[in-house]
Amino acid sequence: MPKVKVDGVEIEVPQGATVLQACELAGKEIPRFCYHERLSIAGNCRMCLVEVKPGPPKPQASCALPAAENQEIFTNTPMVKNAREGVMEFLLINHPLDCPICDQGGECDLQDQSLAYGRGHSRYDENKRAVTEKYMGPIVKTVMTRCIQCTRCIRFAEEVAGVEEIGAIYRGEDMQITSYLEGAVTSELSGNVVDLCPVGALTSKPYAFEARPWELKKTLTIDVMDAVGTNIRLDSRGRQVLRCLPVINEDVNEEWATDKTRHAVDGLVRRRLDKPFVRKDGRLAEASWDEAFAAIAAVKAGSSVAAVHGDLADSETLYAAKALLASMGSSLLEGRQTGMDYDTSSLAAVNFNTTIAGTETADVILLVGTNLRWEAPLVNTRIRKAIKKGAKVFAIGPETDLTYKVEWLGNDLSLLGKLPDAVAEAFGNAQRPMMIVGGAALKGGHGAALALAGSLNLVRDGWNGFNVVHMAAARMGGLMLGYAQPGGIADIVAAKPKLVFFLAADEVDFSAFAKSFKVYIGHHGDKGAAAADVVLPGASYAEKSGTWVNLEGRVQCGERAVFPPGDAREDWTILRALSAVMGKTLPFDTLEELRAAMGVDTPDLATPGLKSFAWQAPALDASGRGEVAYPIKDFYLTNAICRASPTMQRCSAELIHGEEFAEAAE
């Protein structure tokens, strides 16, 4: 490891580190605009200038200069100060003075660094250059006159998102950043360029002119739009969530978030259930809580009661419902609302065992019946990183653009029993082989995939390459709590329960429960509420403290950002109050008491963190059969919150269905 001196202090730096990284290890702040830890080095803003000896007697860009043995680095000499002031002057030559109306205000690197490293005046009197606005779709708002050509957005689109639709045209001072043919960027990760932009050139279109960052209350919680468990921060004012931003978690989402995670929040204030409803004469009518509870208690269900949970439910709600059903003598619990059924006797056999971060280290990957780009976009980005390190990817399923090179083997699960020789050879030579099985392949290929995991030696000392990718944030928590019948929801239908609780479950075939008394506990007036006999208004993920388990078995907790609207209440409190009316009072009155009881029932849910499940492959039919049909048909409209979101509806119409929208001149 090379030893360098930074402002007279000697430190050791890792081999291959840059001078900028060496300075940061020494605790020195180096300004930068183009450099970003997760992107390739561009070296084009020149803001990170330092003085280095031995070397030429001039400032050097620290982001692109390797640290070497016996180097002396100076970060605060008059030469460095003067050079940075000059760079800042050049950057501000054409930058408009529109900070008061810029959405980046208060979070702008250019503001901060011009204050800290710039001059107090400018020596330039020439007219500023103006650049026409570019259209990048319904997510990203552009004011390209502000652009300083740092190229972060270009590098993100190419290297992380894998959608090469942003680039530069013209040269010199005429250079402009634009999307391909000025069309909408089709990446489901496009919103991340807003966070990356160090000036106000790219800002959030749905959030434009809504608030200033210092006005907002910031709450850390967990995203529920997919099963990755993205760590997020909800920024709220009053009783409304105005925006959602990712929080850095190297093991889960790094610092990225999908467009659905970021922008579905405007659906939290639309189509909301804020009062109880009871069906009378075939129509839902407003009712009081007492009337709604009385209507449920009047159903003489006995033990003929079931519960089906939706994709967004938190573990506390699931545990409270399970406890209520247990007090009534029932164990009819299910969470796979669309009809999927697969063996859940071993959680390891339905878990993402390699872990999300571990995906980067795989050298051969087989995708079975999964469109990862829509089912788990932030796992897809990890596969891109593995490919950059030399990994090969094979896939079984309908061909689709996953943003990287894939060798498609066909669309029949019988291929699991007779892989081509080239695939078998690649896995035979692999040190870290990996298989990812999607929900579309579990029904006809779970046993075959498990058998293949054995024959390909995917599970070995220190490595488990067998993975199942779930799409519902509530799935792993539900499985840990026992929400799984051997035959899936078909077993619930066959039992013909008199009373069924639907816990924010909107994707169920409700016609199968025509003779059951249906109670919907949820937050949006979607399909579940329309089919219910009693509707009890619950809280969304932003309006309650909850626990969710992501697809790799990582238990994570989120906090409440805002309060539910109207008479809506947190779901577990609804079940607790209902239990008292039904004479089956649950033994907890606070969230802490509920979590303590849940920890006794399911110890893995007692503490946050990654849980490891002992590998045990159930004995299943090892013959794969059937074609794959990907379950997600529209990435932007997968749950009730998304369907209520104007932004997600616009994304769906424009990016999925190809509708064209006229933009007003600004």
Side-chain angles (χ1 to χ4, degrees):
M1 293 173 67
K3 290 184 178 179
V4 301
K5 278 188 178 180
V6 180
D7 291 338
V9 178
E10 186 174 83
I11 60 168
E12 264 191 330
V13 298
Q15 193 69 40
T18 64
V19 168
L20 187 151
Q21 290 169 325
C23 293
E24 291 194 326
L25 284 173
K28 301 294 180 179
E29 180 182 305
I30 304 296
R32 84 292 298 268
F33 291 113
C34 67
Y35 175 80
H36 192 277
E37 295 81 357
R38 302 183 199 279
L39 305 176
S40 61
I41 294 171
N44 56 9
C45 78
R46 318 310 285 180
M47 193 63 204
C48 62
L49 294 172
V50 296
E51 192 177 345
V52 179
K53 295 180 180 178
K58 64 177 183 178
Q60 299 192 58
S62 59
C63 68
L65 185 66
E69 187 72 33
N70 297 323
Q71 243 176 7
E72 287 191 71
I73 304 164
F74 303 93
T75 67
N76 53 11
T77 63
M79 179 198 291
V80 170
K81 182 176 183 296
N82 193 49
R84 289 176 180 169
E85 288 178 351
V87 169
M88 183 59 71
E89 268 192 283
F90 276 114
L91 289 175
L92 293 175
I93 287 174
N94 288 314
H95 195 82
L97 297 175
D98 60 356
C99 297
I101 58 132
C102 176
D103 272 316
Q104 199 88 338
E107 299 171 317
C108 179
D109 291 348
L110 190 64
Q111 278 184 338
D112 296 342
Q113 293 184 38
S114 62
L115 177 67
Y117 303 102
R119 292 179 183 270
H121 62 279
S122 173
R123 292 172 289 178
Y124 288 89
D125 296 319
E126 289 79 4
N127 292 330
K128 290 180 180 287
R129 177 187 73 148
V131 181
T132 55
E133 309 309 353
K134 306 296 187 287
Y135 183 69
M136 290 193 180
I139 297 297
V140 181
K141 172 182 168 65
T142 65
V143 185
M144 299 313 292
T145 301
R146 300 171 184 158
C147 180
I148 61 169
Q149 289 88 40
C150 70
T151 69
R152 281 186 182 182
C153 53
I154 298 174
R155 285 175 283 148
F156 173 83
E158 179 181 346
E159 297 164 15
V160 179
V163 178
E164 299 179 11
E165 295 178 355
I166 303 177
I169 56 175
Y170 312 133
R171 302 184 67 179
E173 74 162 345
D174 294 324
M175 179 177 170
Q176 299 181 23
I177 306 296
T178 180
S179 57
Y180 181 64
L181 297 179
E182 293 195 26
V185 178
T186 59
S187 172
E188 60 287 338
L189 300 171
S190 65
N192 291 291
V193 300
V194 173
D195 290 350
L196 288 172
C197 185
V199 296
L202 304 177
T203 55
S204 170
K205 187 174 287 187
Y207 175 68
F209 310 125
E210 287 290 332
R212 289 300 193 184
W214 54 84
E215 301 174 339
L216 304 176
K217 185 183 80 168
K218 301 167 178 63
T219 308
L220 300 181
T221 188
I222 305 300
D223 173 55
V224 297
M225 296 298 140
D226 57 26
V228 171
T230 301
N231 289 218
I232 58 173
R233 191 187 86 196
L234 295 178
D235 290 357
S236 57
R237 183 175 60 195
R239 303 190 69 163
Q240 182 174 353
V241 175
L242 293 179
R243 68 173 178 177
C244 170
L245 296 175
V247 173
I248 296 176
N249 186 326
E250 299 294 347
D251 295 326
V252 182
N253 57 293
E254 298 179 285
E255 63 181 77
W256 315 126
T258 68
D259 291 349
K260 190 161 56 173
T261 297
R262 287 174 180 275
H263 296 296
V265 292
D266 59 356
L268 292 172
V269 293
R270 292 170 171 84
R271 301 186 192 173
R272 289 302 303 267
L273 297 171
D274 58 359
K275 289 182 174 62
F277 288 84
V278 176
R279 191 172 295 278
K280 298 175 181 176
D281 301 324
R283 296 175 64 87
L284 287 172
E286 287 185 18
S288 67
W289 280 102
D290 289 340
E291 290 172 331
F293 285 167
I296 299 169
V299 180
K300 305 300 182 184
S303 61
S304 181
V305 58
V308 178
H309 77 73
D311 294 349
L312 315 183
D314 58 294
S315 298
E316 287 82 357
T317 299
L318 302 186
Y319 177 72
K322 177 183 177 181
L324 178 59
L325 262 67
S327 70
M328 301 173 74
S330 173
S331 60
L332 288 174
L333 307 169
E334 184 53 68
R336 297 163 293 180
Q337 52 176 334
T338 56
M340 280 198 297
D341 63 275
Y342 44 83
D343 190 285
T344 59
S345 59
S346 167
L347 286 179
V350 292
N351 187 49
F352 203 90
N353 298 292
T354 303
T355 71
I356 295 171
T359 303
E360 296 179 15
T361 64
D363 47 11
V364 177
I365 301 170
L366 175 62
L367 306 177
V368 183
T370 176
N371 177 6
L372 272 181
R373 186 173 171 184
W374 280 6
E375 294 171 12
L378 296 180
V379 175
N380 207 47
T381 61
R382 303 279 188 162
I383 292 182
R384 286 184 54 81
K385 294 173 81 171
I387 289 174
K388 289 178 182 177
K389 298 174 184 176
K392 291 183 178 180
V393 180
F394 304 94
I396 297 173
E399 292 191 24
T400 186
D401 178 15
L402 295 176
T403 74
Y404 44 80
K405 184 180 179 182
V406 178
E407 187 174 326
W408 295 93
L409 306 178
N411 185 25
D412 196 318
L413 294 175
S414 62
L415 287 165
L416 291 170
K418 48 182 180 182
L419 289 177
D421 293 341
V423 180
E425 182 181 350
F427 272 89
N429 297 329
Q431 298 298 312
R432 300 170 82 82
M434 182 177 180
M435 182 196 304
I436 301 178
V437 182
L442 281 174
K443 190 174 183 69
H446 194 195
L450 287 168
L452 192 59
S455 62
L456 295 179
N457 194 24
L458 297 184
V459 183
R460 53 186 76 173
D461 287 343
W463 179 258
N464 188 331
F466 183 82
N467 304 282
V468 170
V469 59
H470 297 295
M471 293 155 280
R475 180 70 70 246
M476 282 302 293
L479 295 180
M480 291 166 72
L481 285 165
Y483 276 76
Q485 301 297 311
I489 202 168
D491 286 0
I492 305 285
V493 175
K496 298 179 180 178
K498 293 181 179 177
L499 176 63
V500 184
F501 291 99
F502 294 99
L503 310 174
D506 291 293
E507 320 303 328
V508 180
D509 178 9
F510 291 99
S511 63
F513 294 94
K515 296 184 178 179
S516 300
F517 191 87
K518 297 176 284 296
V519 178
Y520 179 79
I521 304 176
H523 38 79
H524 276 75
D526 206 271
K527 303 170 188 174
D533 296 298
V534 172
V535 175
L536 304 178
S540 72
Y541 74 102
E543 298 151 4
K544 57 187 172 186
S545 297
T547 302
W548 288 270
V549 187
N550 76 348
L551 51 80
E552 60 182 350
R554 187 181 300 274
V555 177
Q556 303 184 107
C557 296
E559 298 300 323
R560 178 175 60 196
V562 292
F563 287 92
D567 290 339
R569 296 292 182 267
E570 293 183 40
D571 304 55
W572 75 266
T573 63
I574 295 173
L575 291 162
R576 168 62 180 80
L578 177 61
S579 70
V581 174
M582 299 181 75
K584 307 287 184 181
T585 306
L586 295 175
F588 42 78
D589 296 319
T590 65
L591 182 64
E592 290 71 25
E593 290 176 0
L594 185 157
R595 284 178 168 168
M598 182 171 70
V600 172
D601 179 84
T602 310
D604 278 340
L605 292 175
T607 54
L610 183 65
K611 310 303 174 184
S612 59
F613 306 112
W615 177 252
Q616 181 183 355
L620 303 174
D621 181 6
S623 60
R625 57 191 175 277
E627 292 189 346
V628 172
Y630 297 135
I632 297 180
K633 306 302 181 187
D634 190 329
F635 172 75
Y636 297 100
L637 301 178
T638 53
N639 58 59
I641 298 176
C642 293
R643 290 190 285 268
S645 163
T647 305
M648 293 297 99
Q649 291 172 10
R650 167 79 179 261
C651 287
S652 171
E654 185 168 354
L655 303 178
I656 304 296
H657 301 291
E659 291 185 28
E660 294 185 358
F661 290 83
E663 285 289 304
E666 293 188 29

